[in-house]
Amino acid sequence: PTTHCVPFEPGDFIVAGADMGEVKKIGIKTTRIKTLQGEELIISNQELTTQRIKNFKKMKERRILFTLGVCYETPIEKMRKIPDIIREIINKEDNTKIDRVYFKSYGDFSLNYEIVYYVSSGEYIKYAEAQESINFAIKEAFEKEKIEFAYPTQTVFVKNDIINP
């Protein structure tokens, strides 16, 4: 059977509705997909043509956006260093391109920075490896600079109103 009528071919990683996996075979009536869990999923081509399909093979780069929170006790001079520290780390990583790093907001329990960068590959494993390398490097740099990551905290104020008789 010809596959020129469908927006994917065997070997492509697709997401169709709630289903995702690698296309193994495209038949006349059905398409066979190997899911991430390893099972074979058989979907009717009629069903596939009625839903939105994401084809990750066509992806040339991946955009990564994440927020990083540091403690409110972080001194302003260290806060000002954070964007440069993160930019330097991402610029050292192969196949990555920094978009932005900035102090974004005052959160409930953290001072939040937004980081956006691109990995110039559509391959998931290259994205995951770059992300892991960057995350380890940020943790290492923050430990060296004595910058603490924030985690949910609460401060309780106790008022002493004992009246002496």
Side-chain angles (χ1 to χ4, degrees), residues 30-140:
T30 62
T31 295
R32 295 175 185 266
I33 297 171
K34 182 179 180 183
T35 68
L36 294 175
Q37 294 75 26
E39 68 257 1
E40 181 179 63
L41 178 65
I42 302 168
I43 305 175
S44 78
N45 290 340
Q46 182 180 5
E47 182 183 345
L48 279 174
T49 60
T50 62
Q51 57 187 311
R52 206 182 280 206
I53 297 171
K54 293 181 186 178
N55 186 341
F56 285 86
K57 183 178 183 183
K58 309 288 184 196
M59 185 183 292
K60 300 294 182 215
E61 66 181 5
R62 287 182 181 259
R63 180 178 182 260
I64 294 88
L65 176 146
F66 68 100
T67 301
L68 191 146
V70 297
C71 295
Y72 266 92
E73 294 78 19
T74 305
I76 190 70
E77 63 273 4
K78 289 194 186 273
M79 287 180 63
R80 289 195 168 139
K81 283 183 173 182
I82 290 172
D84 290 335
I85 290 169
I86 294 173
R87 271 190 212 97
E88 184 179 329
I89 288 167
I90 293 171
N91 284 333
K92 282 183 182 176
E93 187 69 32
D94 289 340
N95 302 315
T96 60
K97 179 179 63 176
I98 190 77
D99 182 14
R100 65 182 174 272
V101 180
Y102 68 100
F103 174 47
K104 182 179 181 178
S105 64
Y106 295 93
D108 290 340
F109 53 84
S110 62
L111 302 167
N112 298 317
Y113 289 80
E114 182 174 274
I115 299 100
V116 179
Y117 65 96
Y118 293 88
V119 175
S120 57
S121 172
E123 290 182 49
Y124 179 81
I125 194 69
K126 291 197 184 297
Y127 147 77
E129 288 171 348
Q131 186 179 40
E132 179 183 56
S133 177
I134 288 166
N135 287 343
F136 278 138
I138 290 171
K139 175 88 166 111
E140 185 176 41

